[in-house]
Amino acid sequence: MLGVVLTGVVRALRPLERGLSLLYERTRPDPGFSRSSGSSRSSGSWLPWLGLAASVTALTRFATRGFAPDGRFPVLPALGLLLGTTLLTARRRTAVDRDTGEPKDALREAA
């Protein structure tokens, strides 16, 4: 009986597993990205921190006041959570040098 239940649970969660693996592929660090190249500040590495701050602030607001204080849904914390999640999962785009395959530093290219 447990095997039947486990099979049903595994089949039900399979789409979620695929979605999480796609999310992992979008958000994992680029293998060619290195801090020694000096491109960490120029490529927008502060955006995930901003997203984390927005998400934590919104979740703290939900945890302290609830999801419907005074019978109304708090729209601003929900938008903050959406913004934070978007910034955390947004893939950072860097220009790649065609010859070496390494990320280009935008500041060095402009100089």
Side-chain angles (χ1 to χ4, degrees):
M1 186 65 172
L2 289 175
V4 171
V5 171
L6 181 61
T7 302
V9 169
V10 168
R11 286 185 183 203
L13 294 178
R14 189 171 293 160
L16 178 65
E17 182 181 4
R18 286 187 192 128
L20 289 175
S21 67
L22 290 174
L23 180 65
Y24 172 75
E25 289 298 320
R26 284 188 54 209
T27 58
R28 71 184 173 116
D30 293 329
F33 184 76
S34 67
R35 289 194 175 270
S36 62
S37 66
S39 62
S40 63
R41 287 197 183 255
S42 64
S43 62
S45 64
W46 56 273
L47 285 176
W49 291 106
L50 181 64
L52 182 65
S55 297
V56 167
T57 302
L59 289 173
T60 302
R61 167 77 162 63
F62 281 131
T64 57
R65 295 188 183 172
F67 282 97
D70 303 328
R72 295 181 324 204
F73 181 75
V75 175
L76 289 177
L79 291 175
L81 185 60
L82 179 67
L83 173 70
T85 305
T86 302
L87 289 175
L88 282 170
T89 58
R91 186 173 180 103
R92 185 177 40 201
R93 295 179 187 250
T94 58
V96 177
D97 188 4
R98 289 184 182 177
D99 298 330
T100 64
E102 292 291 319
K104 290 182 182 179
D105 187 1
L107 293 178
R108 288 184 188 171
E109 292 293 322

